[in-house]
Amino acid sequence: MTSSRSMEWKGNQSFVAMFFLLGLSNEKELQLILFPVFLGIYLVTLIWNLGLIFLIRMDSHLHTPMYYFLSFLSFIDICYSSSISPRMLLDFLRKEKMISFIACATQYFVTAWMALAECFLLATMAYDRYVAIGIPLQYSAIVVPDLCGKMVAWAYVTGFFSSLIQTVSCFQLYYCGPNIIQHFFCDLPNIFSLSCSNPFICQMILLLVAIVVGFGSLFVILLSYGFIAASILKISSGKGSTKAFNTCASHLAAVTLYYGTALSVYLSPKSNQSMKRDKVLSVFYVIITPILNPLIYSLRNKEIKEALKRLIKREIAFC
């Protein structure tokens, strides 16, 4: 599959100028079926998340820390999905799924940035739920707008630099072929395995970021929910316990979906059979999760439903 246009020569050495993505499937008929399916998923992802951001911004009743964080989570999901879906949709219609070296690096950088920022943001939202349930009388004094802004900024900035370090360390390696990525997007473990130079430093950086950011955020989430569980057990009334649980049920579902699929992909042993399974799990991780997050937070949320009713009534009255 390697052609002359995918390689460049500098002196007596060749280096990769283009990568080939294998995609989800090599079957043309299946790709034509998958195209409208994933196009619909991507469009609904954009509509749901943009709609949720708009609703939160427009309704003053939703100007609280929880919905402030949720609006940024929706923005991350939009960027996350948009870094992969348009390219994947285009590849469904192409015979040769080529991507340039720079485009591949850019795609990975944006994808990793959003994924790492989401880890931090989910941890921030878990802390917010702990304060709301564990020490409700001090909530308004602790979770102030200034702190919320700093926590969101920290999520984006830390995700940016963590992703930048990974991307630079991986794509500065020497690539002389093969240049076939066995995935439908540029994922770091599938890329540095193609390197003609030693990827040890890149692997260590990837491991360090995964431990500090990924597992560090997961630890904060689990710790927060440990305190939340202890606080719920202290509530005497069953109604109060149910209300407290419902307050964090949506976030817990989102965390389980996000980390469950991600850990299944990156911690499982690798083999030829596992690569096919990883592709399927990656679809849930990078395509399905962004569309489910706004649904998880909206379907059972009375405040979101009431805000939507107020917006509809306001538009009808205006018309």
Side-chain angles (χ1 to χ4, degrees):
M1 291 183 68
T2 304
S3 61
S4 58
R5 59 179 171 168
S6 68
M7 307 289 291
E8 292 184 5
W9 280 263
K10 188 175 182 180
N12 293 325
Q13 290 185 319
S14 64
F15 62 92
V16 171
M18 305 288 290
F19 286 111
F20 288 89
L21 294 165
L22 287 187
L24 280 175
S25 173
N26 291 324
E27 298 179 22
K28 188 64 178 178
E29 295 78 9
L30 181 58
Q31 291 182 52
L32 293 176
I33 295 172
L34 292 176
F35 176 80
V37 173
F38 283 97
L39 176 61
I41 291 173
Y42 178 56
L43 292 177
V44 173
T45 299
L46 294 181
I47 293 169
W48 269 108
N49 283 289
L50 284 172
L52 191 57
I53 292 171
F54 177 76
L55 185 63
I56 291 171
R57 290 288 184 267
M58 290 294 293
D59 196 294
S60 59
H61 295 83
L62 300 181
H63 293 176
T64 62
M66 182 176 72
Y67 294 109
Y68 176 78
F69 295 135
L70 182 55
S71 65
F72 281 101
L73 180 63
S74 289
F75 178 75
I76 285 175
D77 284 337
I78 290 171
C79 297
Y80 193 35
S81 182
S82 296
S83 67
I84 295 173
S85 292
R87 180 91 207 183
M88 183 180 68
L89 290 168
L90 182 62
D91 285 342
F92 281 140
L93 304 177
R94 298 195 302 183
K95 184 177 180 180
E96 291 188 339
K97 303 173 178 62
M98 293 192 300
I99 183 171
S100 70
F101 189 88
I102 297 299
C104 191
T106 302
Q107 185 188 61
Y108 177 76
F109 168 72
V110 176
T111 303
W113 179 12
M114 294 300 110
L116 295 170
E118 184 158 344
C119 288
F120 277 112
L121 196 56
L122 288 173
T124 298
M125 295 171 76
Y127 171 74
D128 172 70
R129 292 301 83 203
Y130 156 65
V131 177
I133 295 172
I135 41 180
L137 297 178
Q138 301 178 44
Y139 180 79
S140 58
I142 296 175
V143 189
V144 295
D146 184 55
L147 177 63
C148 293
K150 288 179 180 178
M151 289 193 288
V152 169
W154 173 258
Y156 278 95
V157 172
T158 307
F160 176 87
F161 284 108
S162 298
S163 176
L164 183 64
I165 292 169
Q166 290 184 84
T167 305
V168 171
S169 67
C170 175
F171 285 90
Q172 59 83 34
L173 296 174
Y174 175 56
Y175 293 90
C176 59
N179 60 344
I180 300 173
I181 300 174
Q182 299 189 36
H183 219 309
F184 60 88
F185 69 101
C186 293
D187 195 25
L188 200 57
N190 296 92
I191 298 171
F192 64 60
S193 62
L194 303 176
S195 173
C196 299
S197 52
N198 190 346
F200 177 76
I201 294 178
C202 179
Q203 290 172 321
M204 289 300 101
I205 291 174
L206 180 63
L207 178 62
L208 184 62
V209 171
I211 292 173
V212 174
V213 179
F215 287 101
S217 298
L218 183 59
F219 174 76
V220 172
I221 292 169
L222 294 176
L223 186 64
S224 297
Y225 274 105
F227 286 121
I228 288 172
S231 299
I232 291 176
L233 291 175
K234 294 178 182 178
I235 300 175
S236 56
S237 67
K239 186 177 180 180
S241 299
T242 303
K243 184 179 179 181
F245 176 77
N246 288 335
T247 301
C248 54
S250 297
H251 178 262
L252 187 58
V255 168
T256 302
L257 177 66
Y258 184 75
Y259 273 96
T261 52
L263 293 176
S264 298
V265 170
Y266 294 109
L267 293 185
S268 59
K270 302 302 174 186
S271 65
N272 289 331
Q273 289 298 321
S274 72
M275 286 183 180
K276 295 179 180 179
R277 182 201 61 207
D278 287 352
K279 284 185 182 181
V280 176
L281 289 172
S282 293
V283 168
F284 282 91
Y285 177 47
V286 301
I287 305 295
I288 304 300
T289 298
I291 193 177
L292 288 182
N293 276 343
L295 292 175
I296 290 172
Y297 281 100
S298 302
L299 290 179
R300 296 181 67 252
N301 191 309
K302 292 182 180 179
E303 292 178 323
I304 292 287
K305 291 179 181 178
E306 290 299 322
L308 186 58
K309 289 178 182 178
R310 285 191 294 269
L311 181 63
I312 293 172
K313 287 181 180 178
R314 193 186 312 160
E315 291 301 315
I316 292 174
F318 180 78
C319 292

